[in-house]
Amino acid sequence: MYDAFPWLMHHFPGPHQEVFAYNHFMHNLVMNEVHIQERQNAGDPQDLIDFYLAQIAKTKDDPTSTFNTDNMVQTAVDLLLGGTETTSTTLLWALLYMVKYPEIQERVQREIEAVLEPSQLISYEDCKKQPYTNAVIHETLQYSNVTSVGVPRQCVRNTTLLGHHINKGTLVLPNLHSVVYDSEHWETSWKFSPDHFLDLDGNFVNKEAFFPFSAGHRVCLGEQMAQVELFIFFTNLLRAFSFQIPEGVKEIDLEYILGAILQPHSYKLCAIPR
Ligand code: HEM
């Protein structure tokens, strides 16, 4: 029914109404920003919204143009939604793994000490000198797999995929979970192990089956940005602090909580200055 009458869903009560309310909130948030920037930055574009506004103005007489206010707001909302919760939740998982596996945390810290000065500004370039830290971040992305399914697609014509007939109009969700835990590609897929991304000499190795950002035309738009953010935040945090569970907490539960993305259980962690 959603397919045939999407507008109808706006009138039915139910939990999806909350999603519409959040969507409305995000659109208003971006629209306010658009109004501010329209006033301030005309003639001196600074960011995506400014450049988009300029493009709308440039193409206003082209009936085939897709540059319009609705698409601009939706683009900004997509970037905000896609780029915040995913990266911050992955960082939460990373800290939880460090608490659960203190020997891995210590090895990351030894590597940081060996290659970075204590007050040196950390840049993404440094990950080349930190293969172990890089492997821990990749394993965190892989193992926590926060997105778990890709964004929905709709089949534009009847087709056959791996012997399965798929009708035109069918919604298809890529199951990333099945890939990241595929034992054909990962020696110990059930276990958090940075070794998945290291060769025998301790060099970082990229893996073909590394899929937390998906692949193909719809691959995550922010993969590079997420990698940079994760490396800089994680390295800064582990250089400044050692993380541990508070006294009295015996076990860390690594099972995820199912939601829009896979969340860790909530824990208070102690950040001990180093
Ligand atoms: C740890 C961080 C992140 C993870 C694990 C992640 C993962 C993903 C995945 C699995 C998809 C779906 C791709 C598909 O269906 O084939 C996706 C889409 C997307 N991501 Fe990310 N993402 C992350 C961070 C970011 C950041 C930082 C941004 C932007 C600033 C971003 C923007 C987007 C957008 C706009 C899409 C939709 C692309 C499309 O539909 O064509 N993501 N992401």
Side-chain angles (χ1 to χ4, degrees), residues 57-73:
K58 208 163 120 189
T59 57
K60 68 177 188 315
D61 296 326
D62 176 358
T64 63
S65 167
T66 58
F67 292 102
N68 56 50
T69 311
D70 280 351
N71 281 347
M72 172 179 61
V73 171

Side-chain angles (χ1 to χ4, degrees), residues 154-160 165-170:
Q154 191 165 32
C155 230
V156 292
R157 58 172 178 272
N158 290 340
T159 187
T160 305
H165 183 70
I166 305 175
N167 283 332
K168 179 181 173 182
T170 308

Side-chain angles (χ1 to χ4, degrees), residues 78-79 82-84 86-87 90 141 146-147 149-151 153 174 176 211-215 217-223 225-226 229-230:
D78 283 350
L79 289 171
T84 42
T86 43
T87 316
T90 306
L141 280 159
V146 293
T147 331
V149 284
V151 290
R153 280 94 164 135
L176 302 175
F211 263 136
F213 296 99
S214 189
H217 289 302
R218 299 291 294 279
V219 66
C220 172
L221 209 74
E223 170 165 4
M225 183 174 169
E229 286 178 330
L230 286 171

Side-chain angles (χ1 to χ4, degrees), residues 103 126 135 144 183 197 214 227 255 270:
E103 67 289 356
D126 294 319
S144 64
S183 53
F197 293 92
S214 189
Q227 295 268 17
E255 268 304 306
C270 301

Side-chain angles (χ1 to χ4, degrees), residues 189-203:
S189 58
W190 66 94
K191 189 171 151 239
F192 181 85
S193 169
D195 288 346
H196 287 142
F197 293 92
L198 295 168
D199 68 12
L200 291 175
D201 299 321
N203 299 312

